């Protein structure tokens, strides 16, 4: 009988201990999991330190081609007359350009439109007074930069009356772009090392790199900004263009 009582008591104690341990597990588990996750997050953050910088490479170059907008604007009382006259003048302009050794492929019509002039100083015009404006514009690539003035003079002499936007560029900029990118990478590395030194770290491997496209990156002085300045004799000062490339680089810190 006494043995049976001890056995019953042992079973009760074991069951009570199991219940207590189960309750303790469910109470303490969330705290243990949170602590483990916090420790893991802290370790990951410490090992993933990085620095992101923007490097820039700048190359000054001399342009080898120019592009000019050369157009004809005609205002007549009928669309037919305006269109016919504008077309005739543009043919004469094209012939004058070809005579200046401009190649056919370098003369491209980019803009042609017809609009009605329906308003005058006193307001809406009567139907018989409405005039029609025809605009025919071509963009011309000039490869002989010493003859820009001669080309424009020839176009004007043939009847062109809408000329502007003489812009200089480099026909094949790929090699210079590569040079500017290499300079941008070196610039980015120097900036990253300077920043890392401020916090007692060193620069490791590159984890991410991207080219910045648009304003401030991959451009020739604001996309080949107009740099031609004509003097009274019609000469042009070509000057230099600036090719700038920007790269955003992320380095791991050690």
């Amino acid at each position: 009988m006494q043995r049976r009582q001890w056995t019953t008591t042992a079973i009760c104690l074991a069951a009570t201990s199991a219940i207590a341990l189960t309750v303790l597990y469910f109470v303490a588990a969330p705290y243990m999991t949170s602590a483990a996750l916090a420790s893991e997050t802290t370790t990951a953050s410490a090992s993933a330190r990085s620095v992101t910088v923007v490097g820039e490479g700048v190359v000054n170059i001399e342009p080898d081609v120019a592009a000019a907008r050369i157009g004809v604007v005609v205002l007549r009382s009928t669309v037919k007359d305006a269109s016919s006259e504008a077309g005739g003048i543009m043919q004469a302009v094209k012939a004058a350009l070809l005579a200046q050794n401009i190649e056919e492929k370098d003369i491209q019509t980019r803009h042609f439109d017809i609009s009605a002039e329906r308003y005058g100083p006193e307001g809406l015009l009567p139907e018989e007074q409405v005039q029609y404006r025809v605009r025919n514009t071509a963009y011309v690539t000039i490869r002989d930069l010493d003859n820009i003035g001669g080309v424009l003079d020839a176009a004007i002499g043939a009847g062109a009356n809408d000329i502007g936007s003489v812009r200089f560029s480099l026909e094949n900029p790929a090699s210079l772009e590569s040079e500017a990118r290499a300079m941008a990478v070196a610039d980015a590395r120097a900036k990253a090392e300077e920043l890392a030194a401020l916090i007692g770290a060193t620069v490791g491997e590159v984890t991410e790199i991207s080219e910045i496209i648009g304003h401030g990156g991959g451009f020739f002085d604001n996309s080949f900004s107009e740099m031609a300045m004509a003097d009274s004799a019609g000469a042009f000062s070509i000057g230099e263009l600036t090719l700038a490339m920007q790269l955003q680089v992320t380095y791991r810190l050690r």
Side-chain angles (χ1 to χ4, degrees):
M1 178 67 68
Q2 185 174 7
R3 180 185 229 169
R4 182 179 299 176
Q5 287 178 344
W6 278 108
T7 301
T8 302
T9 301
I11 292 172
C12 290
L13 288 173
T16 302
S17 298
I19 293 172
L21 287 173
T22 301
V23 172
L24 179 62
Y25 171 79
F26 283 106
V27 171
Y31 297 100
M32 293 171 64
T33 302
S34 299
L37 288 175
S39 175
E40 182 179 348
T41 301
T42 301
T43 302
S45 299
S47 63
R49 291 194 306 168
S50 64
V51 60
T52 300
V53 295
V54 174
E56 182 175 65
V58 178
V59 179
N60 293 322
I61 59 171
E62 291 186 4
D64 56 14
V65 294
R69 176 174 55 82
I70 299 176
V72 174
V73 180
V74 173
L75 188 65
R76 293 292 180 266
S77 58
T78 67
V79 173
K80 181 179 179 180
D81 289 345
S83 181
S84 176
E85 185 172 343
I89 295 174
M90 184 55 79
Q91 286 300 318
V93 170
K94 182 177 179 180
L97 293 173
L98 293 174
Q100 292 291 318
N101 296 320
I102 300 296
E103 297 183 29
E104 182 98 25
K105 67 182 178 63
D106 290 331
I107 305 173
Q108 298 181 347
T109 298
R110 296 282 187 89
H111 186 72
F112 181 89
D113 69 54
I114 302 172
S115 59
E117 302 278 332
R118 298 186 179 277
Y119 290 88
E122 304 300 325
L124 187 64
L125 296 172
E127 188 67 28
E128 65 274 9
Q129 294 183 20
V130 172
Q131 294 193 334
Y132 297 89
R133 183 185 301 273
V134 172
R135 185 185 302 273
N136 190 341
T137 305
Y139 280 81
V140 180
T141 300
I142 304 171
R143 302 181 186 279
D144 182 3
L145 299 186
D146 293 331
N147 192 34
I148 296 175
V151 170
L152 298 182
D153 286 344
I156 294 170
N161 58 0
D162 183 22
I163 294 179
S165 294
V166 178
R167 303 167 77 86
F168 296 97
S169 64
L170 196 68
E171 189 170 20
N172 297 306
S175 61
L176 288 174
E177 288 176 351
S178 296
E179 181 182 345
R181 287 190 188 97
M183 295 171 65
V185 169
D187 182 52
R189 181 79 185 192
K191 290 178 179 177
E193 290 177 349
E194 180 180 351
L195 292 174
L198 293 175
I199 59 172
T202 58
V203 176
E205 68 275 16
V206 173
T207 61
E208 186 176 344
I209 183 170
S210 60
E211 187 171 300
I212 299 175
I213 304 298
H215 181 70
F219 67 98
F220 284 85
D221 193 37
N222 197 20
S223 298
F224 292 131
S225 293
E226 189 173 324
M227 295 184 67
M229 300 297 294
D231 60 23
S232 58
F236 283 79
S237 175
I238 297 173
E240 286 188 336
L241 299 175
T242 299
L243 166 63
M245 302 295 292
Q246 289 186 331
L247 302 176
Q248 179 171 295
V249 188
T250 298
Y251 299 89
R252 194 181 303 280
L253 292 181
R254 296 192 291 253

